[in-house]
Amino acid sequence: MKTLFDETQLSGLNLKNRFVRSATHDGRADALGHVTQELIEHYEELAKGGVGTIITGLTNVTDIEKIVPTQMAIYDDSFIAEYKKLTDAVHRYDVNIFVQLVCNGVQSSSKNPGALWAPSAIEGEPTVAGATEMTKADIQSMKDAFVNGAIRAKRAGFDGVQLHVAHGYLLSRFLTPYYNRRTDEYGGTTENRARVVLEICRDIKEAVGSEYPVLAKINCDDFMDEGLAFAECKRICKMLEAAGLSAIEISGGSALSRPNEGVIRKVTPDTESYFKQYAEDLAEALNIPVICVGGHRDINKLREIVSNTKIEYFSLCRPFIREPYLINRWASGDTSPAKCISCTKCFGVPTQCIFNK
């Protein structure tokens, strides 16, 4: 029978337990996305806390887009030595670390110069305000940036990469019918809207080797009119599996999601693990591991899920902001629920729990 503290393997990588720190904006990089000592210490603290695998905050792969101050980046080779210090610090605690690769698209409030890329420019739509509709050349530049980011990540000692294909960031918007109104091979059918993500996945695997883990975080549903729905998500995940993806983290929601159906929700004992039903369904359909994120608070409920489903891993975000040592606490026998109260007052610069200030 599976347990939460099983040692497992993912693409040949040893994972000491089934707990993952889900990608979380940390707000500790510098103005151009470079590593700071505060960022290194932040990840070292997480590694000390007992989690088996860490996925970094969203890390921009290109400086063609507007650089967001305090967001991590990996757009040129100068980042490699910096991140090597970070990965070395994490690896001292027998913890794996993946870097989450992203293009922000229009979800950027940065005042720095640069593009606000979108699959389509939509007149009168405030969530696409100021967007540049991507040309084929832009799409190729974006694809190259993701591949080069993965190459740098491997050289810097990251154990794998995760593509951010969720929450309304650029790759996610290519999948969403409302945002993607293109009439070329990157728009229209499910296959066309998924094409750029599939091409990036294949190109990365070719560049870094078939054994190097490549994950994706994807919306089960956009929870909005004309959004990506779960039936399409499942089809796309099967395509990604065929393209060589190593694992899927299933999330959901974005800026236009219906109230309390976005990615970050108020959590009560009755609404914990709010993407569990989608992750469970997807785990039955795929042969690669599924990581379930979203509102996990009670270890006893997670034990029930891991015992009765094919879900392999559980990722947490806000609980680790309040309690970086949560997994050590649970492992020691104190299995009271996570102390996070889901107030979502933690996301600032830097990201930190209001109870820890």
Side-chain angles (χ1 to χ4, degrees), residues 5-317:
F5 290 95
D6 289 338
E7 291 186 15
T8 63
Q9 283 204 334
L10 176 64
S11 296
L13 188 67
N14 291 318
L15 281 64
K16 68 180 181 182
N17 57 46
R18 297 185 187 274
F19 291 106
V20 178
R21 187 271 201 163
S22 191
T24 305
H25 174 63
D26 304 298
R28 288 173 170 84
D30 75 6
L32 295 176
H34 284 277
V35 175
T36 63
Q37 185 60 33
E38 184 183 9
L39 186 72
I40 293 172
E41 292 171 358
H42 175 67
Y43 279 98
E44 187 169 18
E45 189 78 356
L46 280 166
K48 290 177 184 177
V51 67
T53 302
I54 293 170
I55 302 174
T56 71
L58 67 175
T59 302
N60 208 314
V61 295
T62 179
D63 58 355
I64 299 174
E65 289 196 311
K66 294 185 176 186
I67 300 299
V68 177
T70 77
Q71 178 186 349
M72 294 166 61
I74 194 166
Y75 50 77
D76 64 38
D77 287 353
S78 68
F79 288 89
I80 295 170
E82 300 174 13
Y83 281 126
K84 188 69 169 66
K85 294 178 183 177
L86 190 154
T87 59
D88 284 347
V90 168
H91 287 151
R92 282 196 286 271
Y93 299 93
D94 191 27
V95 174
N96 299 304
I97 182 164
F98 289 51
V99 62
Q100 186 186 66
L101 304 179
V102 70
C103 278
N104 291 337
V106 298
Q107 293 190 167
S108 168
S109 58
S110 174
K111 293 180 173 57
N112 288 323
L116 289 174
W117 276 339
S120 303
I122 307 170
E123 187 175 350
E125 171 48 63
T127 63
V128 194
T132 298
E133 183 169 313
M134 297 178 76
T135 65
K136 295 278 191 68
D138 291 334
I139 290 174
Q140 187 60 53
S141 294
M142 177 183 69
K143 289 165 53 181
D144 291 343
F146 273 100
V147 173
N148 290 330
I151 293 169
R152 293 181 190 113
K154 185 175 182 180
R155 290 176 59 192
F158 285 104
D159 299 292
V161 299
Q162 183 185 64
L163 305 178
H164 196 350
V165 196
H167 307 163
Y169 290 95
L170 186 54
L171 292 183
S172 172
R173 292 198 179 210
F174 269 88
L175 301 185
T176 300
Y178 180 79
Y179 288 122
N180 185 348
R181 305 183 187 186
R182 302 178 69 93
T183 57
D184 61 9
E185 67 267 36
Y186 292 104
T189 64
T190 304
E191 290 77 9
N192 281 359
R193 283 181 280 113
R195 186 182 304 277
V196 71
V197 182
L198 295 167
E199 289 176 345
I200 289 169
C201 180
R202 293 190 192 105
D203 290 350
I204 288 176
K205 298 294 284 189
E206 184 175 344
V208 298
S210 60
E211 298 305 311
Y212 191 67
V214 179
L215 284 60
K217 186 171 196 170
I218 191 170
N219 279 359
C220 59
D221 196 303
D222 290 336
F223 302 105
M224 58 180 277
D225 294 340
E226 299 180 63
L228 180 76
F230 184 55
E232 272 200 307
C233 165
K234 190 187 294 189
R235 286 180 61 194
I236 292 166
C237 288
K238 289 178 180 178
M239 295 178 204
L240 285 166
E241 179 180 32
L245 201 75
S246 306
I248 289 276
E249 184 180 16
I250 198 74
S251 188
S254 60
L256 289 184
S257 295
R258 294 178 288 271
N260 207 40
E261 290 189 280
V263 54
I264 299 173
R265 305 180 183 183
K266 187 69 179 175
V267 181
T268 69
D270 294 328
T271 59
E272 290 186 29
S273 304
Y274 43 78
F275 296 128
K276 177 250 181 184
Q277 68 195 74
Y278 303 100
E280 181 178 357
D281 191 326
L282 199 58
E284 289 285 345
L286 299 178
N287 294 311
I288 56 174
V290 171
I291 306 167
C292 181
V293 72
H296 306 313
R297 299 292 183 270
D298 188 333
I299 189 173
N300 294 314
K301 293 178 180 178
L302 294 180
R303 284 171 172 158
E304 184 178 337
I305 295 171
V306 80
S307 297
N308 296 312
T309 74
K310 292 185 178 179
I311 296 169
E312 292 287 340
Y313 301 102
F314 298 90
S315 55
L316 297 84
C317 166

Side-chain angles (χ1 to χ4, degrees), residues 312-330:
E312 292 287 340
Y313 301 102
F314 298 90
S315 55
L316 297 84
C317 166
R318 288 174 289 173
F320 288 135
I321 297 174
R322 181 160 187 183
E323 294 181 272
Y325 286 72
L326 174 62
I327 305 306
N328 282 347
R329 174 166 74 76
W330 280 347

